[in-house]
Amino acid sequence: SLGVHRIWADCDAENKASIRVLKKVGMNQEGHHRQDCQIRGEWRDTLVYATLADEWSPSAKGVNVRRHR
C-alpha cells in the first residue's frame, strides 16, 4: 500500500501515449482543462486522471510500484 487516499496525474490532451498509460494503470479521466498550458507559444488543453485507493490495485494492473525516499 502506498498509504495515500488518491493519486492523480495530468497530461497534454494530445499526448495519446500518456493517455494510454494512465488508462492502462486503471486511472479515470476526471477533468479537461481547456487551454490552460502554453507549450511553444500554443495554448493546449490538459486532461486530469485519478484513482482512489479502494479502486486501485497495483498487482492487479501489473504495475511495479517503487516508493522514492
Side-chain angles (χ1 to χ4, degrees):
S1 169
L2 292 175
V4 297
H5 176 68
R6 183 174 183 274
I7 297 172
W8 67 273
D10 62 12
C11 68
D12 185 310
E14 294 183 24
N15 189 333
K16 303 303 181 198
S18 290
I19 293 168
R20 270 194 309 274
V21 168
L22 295 173
K23 288 180 176 180
K24 183 176 181 180
V25 299
M27 298 182 105
N28 300 302
Q29 184 179 333
E30 289 191 344
H32 184 151
H33 299 261
R34 297 172 52 214
Q35 297 184 4
D36 71 325
C37 182
Q38 196 172 36
I39 300 174
R40 292 184 221 104
E42 178 186 352
W43 286 101
R44 306 285 287 266
D45 293 1
T46 298
L47 300 179
V48 179
Y49 284 80
T51 191
L52 300 175
D54 62 351
E55 298 173 338
W56 190 67
S57 168
S59 58
K61 304 289 182 195
V63 176
N64 183 10
V65 176
R66 294 183 186 170
R67 191 170 201 159
H68 297 281
R69 296 175 193 229

